Amino acid sequence: MKGREAIKKGLALVNRSTIAMLGTNGAQGYPNIRAVIKMENEDLKRIWFTTNTSSKKVAQFKKNPKACVYFVDFDKWIGLMLIGTTEILQDPESKQRFWHEGFEKYYPLGVSDPDYSILRFTAQWGKYYHNLATTTFEI
Amino acid sequence: MKGREAIKKGLALVNRSTIAMLGTNGAQGYPNIRAVIKMENEDLKRIWFTTNTSSKKVAQFKKNPKACVYFVDFDKWIGLMLIGTTEILQDPESKQRFWHEGFEKYYPLGVSDPDYSILRFTAQWGKYYHNLATTTFEI
């Protein structure tokens, strides 16, 4: 598969996914993974997540912004790994932009809750997996 | 939730899962993630996967055995992160033990194919996530 086709198929997977796996560099040099809700994406280049400012992943990104975002379609056995860096956004505009009804469950003080943060992931390259074959591409 | 209950519920998740996310320390200090098929588990302590010896994850584990194995139930929004180390096994007994019908698709030379390896993950600790609460426990 050529890079352009892998990007197209990878983007289709991201567009239809609501959940991603987010990888960080955790304590003592171990990788850490957790499922996160994808809020928005801009092609494969940028992906936004919301999170508790007090969460482990925010502390980990403050120390080391290197990240992996992985999307998977279990039924079709398709995987997409994106590698890049993550910024922590706390400006009112970003917080307003991604606020959703029901978020009080996670952030009781509302949109200005200091425990509410946005993660903005920027991809550098990706790897698309399907049918035993992988295709690596720059983004 | 107490540690004992988190371990019990985490084990139930692992026992009913056939797929896990495997995290490694990838190139240039970035975490890497890919979906893998869980072959067997011994409680939460040990998990076995099969892989191509030529795969990136084998090269990564040779450099750095630190690993994360993550199980997720999207419907119930349950996650289990296990942190530990991974060994690469190539002895004939291990290769025979995990060989399955149809594996020729991945390892054309059969059970003795040098491109067929076993990964044995040993967990040190875990984190169980459910209903906005996490419980961390030693293993």
Side-chain angles (χ1 to χ4, degrees), chain B:
Chain B
M1 191 184 293
K2 288 189 176 164
R4 187 174 293 193
E5 192 186 346
I7 288 171
K8 191 179 161 190
K9 292 190 171 181
L11 182 57
L13 173 62
V14 172
N15 286 342
R16 71 176 182 266
S17 297
T18 54
I19 294 173
M21 307 295 152
L22 177 62
T24 56
N25 283 300
Q28 297 178 297
Y30 288 85
N32 281 192
I33 302 172
R34 80 284 288 155
V36 286
I37 297 173
K38 183 203 78 172
M39 297 307 296
E40 276 188 31
N41 62 289
E42 187 183 289
D43 298 326
L44 292 182
K45 190 64 186 171
R46 287 229 159 98
I47 303 173
W48 288 267
F49 308 99
T50 64
T51 187
N52 290 91
T53 312
S54 56
S55 67
K56 273 279 196 316
K57 56 185 160 315
V58 168
Q60 290 169 351
F61 282 136
K62 278 183 182 167
K63 280 189 185 171
N64 187 336
K66 292 181 178 179
C68 174
V69 177
Y70 185 77
F71 292 89
V72 61
D73 182 328
F74 290 135
D75 296 329
K76 296 184 179 169
W77 200 238
I78 293 172
L80 175 73
M81 181 176 81
L82 300 173
I83 296 292
T85 52
T86 298
E87 296 156 273
I88 303 150
L89 308 180
Q90 289 171 321
D91 63 284
E93 292 74 21
S94 298
K95 292 176 73 157
Q96 189 63 57
R97 177 176 166 193
F98 296 102
W99 184 262
H100 272 239
E101 211 183 302
F103 265 22
E104 290 84 0
K105 184 179 168 190
Y106 309 103
Y107 318 110
L109 301 181
V111 69
S112 63
D113 192 327
D115 197 35
Y116 167 49
S117 287
I118 311 298
L119 298 176
R120 182 172 67 182
F121 171 78
T122 303
Q124 291 155 4
W125 62 276
K127 187 156 112 172
Y128 181 83
Y129 176 92
H130 189 217
N131 281 345
L132 305 183
T134 60
T135 306
T136 300
F137 50 85
E138 290 191 9
I139 297 172

Side-chain angles (χ1 to χ4, degrees), chain A residues 46-58:
Chain A
R46 288 229 160 99
I47 303 172
W48 288 266
F49 309 99
T50 65
T51 187
N52 291 90
T53 312
S54 57
S55 67
K56 273 278 195 315
K57 56 186 160 314
V58 168

